[in-house]
Amino acid sequence: MNDAMQDHLIVVDAASSVTHRQRRLIEDALEIEAEDAREAGALGYMARALAQATLPHTDPKLPPGSLYTRDTGRLTLTVAPTSKKHGIPYGTIPRVVMAWICTEAWLKKDRVLSLGHSQKEFLEKIKMNNNGAEIKRFREQVLRLFKSVISVEYSDDREGDLSARLMISDKSHVFWHPKQDDQRALWESSLELSERFYKEIVSAPVPIDLRVFHSLSKSPLAMDIYTWLTYRMFVLRQSGRPYVHVPWAGIKAQFG
């Protein structure tokens, strides 16, 4: 066997070991690198508090009415369900929905956001597949998110303890048919953001590339790491500092 044949076999073997998911990520990365997010119309935003502390990756399986807490040292995020029927939001769906909410609020400069006339229409808005097997899980996670109160507490040596209770929505009107996701309602569903949460978004949003966010949407941890790194880089550029020291203990507290 000559060297050229051996090299060819090595390449084929390496390619065969790449999964479909890995190949898709590589293709997405090359496409994203070729065009800026703003030019591609993929510039999105995330609320600063949700870039610093995150929702659970998997079902925390807490008793009904229990609080979920994530403590990063200087910031504590608490999520409180307001409904006995719906618990703590978790996984990739609330993260994708939150990115859409923050981006829409920033672009439209309006607290009232349109969710469309059907669940299918909303799924198209957030660029998620209308997979029948996922519809029930999607609806449950959306209701968990809309019916939760997010409390953020900041600890600052100079300013003392600061806290803000950020209920995402004061009210929502969802007319989606519970069984037929493509059935069009007579009225448009909508979500009205609370005044506090709206101000949290528009005062200092963290810019993100929605193409990256959607490419990583199979892994809530990957989504969190990307959002956190983007936030860190954004803060460094704003402050003019060349670097920031983050201990491993801080990383563990950040992502669990």
Side-chain angles (χ1 to χ4, degrees):
M1 180 183 300
N2 59 39
D3 291 340
M5 290 179 64
Q6 187 173 5
D7 291 342
H8 177 70
L9 288 174
I10 291 173
V11 171
V12 171
D13 182 64
S16 63
S17 65
V18 176
T19 66
H20 174 74
R21 173 65 179 157
Q22 291 170 333
R23 187 178 294 109
R24 179 64 183 272
L25 286 172
I26 293 171
E27 291 171 354
D28 288 348
L30 293 173
E31 182 180 335
I32 290 167
E33 188 177 3
E35 187 175 17
D36 179 78
R38 191 183 298 277
E39 295 175 356
L43 182 62
Y45 298 91
M46 181 63 77
R48 179 179 53 178
L50 296 176
Q52 297 177 73
T54 62
L55 298 171
H57 301 142
T58 58
D59 189 351
K61 299 187 184 301
L62 298 174
S66 298
L67 305 180
Y68 165 81
T69 301
R70 170 77 74 194
D71 190 343
T72 66
R74 291 194 172 187
L75 182 145
T76 301
L77 176 79
T78 302
V79 183
T82 61
S83 169
K84 292 182 178 180
K85 184 178 179 181
H86 304 285
I88 304 294
Y90 66 89
T92 62
I93 292 174
R95 287 163 169 79
V96 172
V97 173
M98 283 306 310
W100 178 84
I101 288 174
C102 295
T103 302
E104 282 290 294
W106 171 258
L107 295 177
K108 300 292 179 59
K109 296 297 188 292
D110 196 335
R111 287 172 52 201
V112 180
L113 306 179
S114 168
L115 304 179
H117 289 274
S118 68
Q119 189 166 270
K120 180 181 179 182
E121 186 176 335
F122 183 63
L123 284 166
E124 291 173 353
K125 284 177 178 285
I126 62 176
K127 301 186 185 305
M128 288 188 66
N129 293 326
N130 187 29
N131 187 330
E134 297 294 320
I135 294 301
K136 183 177 180 181
R137 187 169 69 93
F138 165 79
R139 184 179 178 85
E140 173 62 20
Q141 289 299 327
V142 168
L143 291 175
R144 286 185 179 215
L145 184 64
F146 291 174
K147 294 178 180 292
S148 293
V149 173
I150 296 178
S151 174
V152 180
E153 296 181 20
Y154 299 91
S155 178
D156 192 304
D157 295 336
R158 296 166 299 177
E159 301 183 18
D161 290 333
L162 303 173
S163 64
R165 279 152 189 82
L166 304 173
M167 189 167 186
I168 293 173
S169 174
D170 287 327
K171 58 184 177 181
S172 59
H173 298 281
V174 181
F175 302 100
W176 298 332
H177 194 279
K179 294 183 179 179
Q180 298 180 2
D181 59 282
D182 59 346
Q183 181 168 317
R184 187 176 178 85
L186 294 176
W187 295 277
E188 190 172 51
S189 297
S190 63
L191 175 72
E192 183 175 338
L193 302 179
S194 69
E195 183 70 28
R196 280 183 177 272
F197 187 68
Y198 174 73
K199 288 182 178 179
E200 172 72 15
I201 295 171
V202 299
S203 62
V206 178
I208 60 174
D209 189 326
L210 292 174
R211 296 171 299 175
V212 177
F213 210 66
H214 286 287
S215 291
L216 299 176
S217 62
K218 296 294 183 182
S219 169
L221 176 58
M223 297 169 79
D224 290 346
I225 292 173
Y226 164 72
T227 306
W228 178 77
L229 286 173
T230 304
Y231 165 71
R232 283 291 189 175
M233 291 301 297
F234 177 70
V235 171
L236 284 177
R237 287 173 180 169
Q238 292 293 314
S239 64
R241 295 172 59 187
Y243 67 89
V244 63
H245 176 70
V246 182
W248 280 111
I251 295 291
K252 181 179 180 182
Q254 182 76 31
F255 302 112

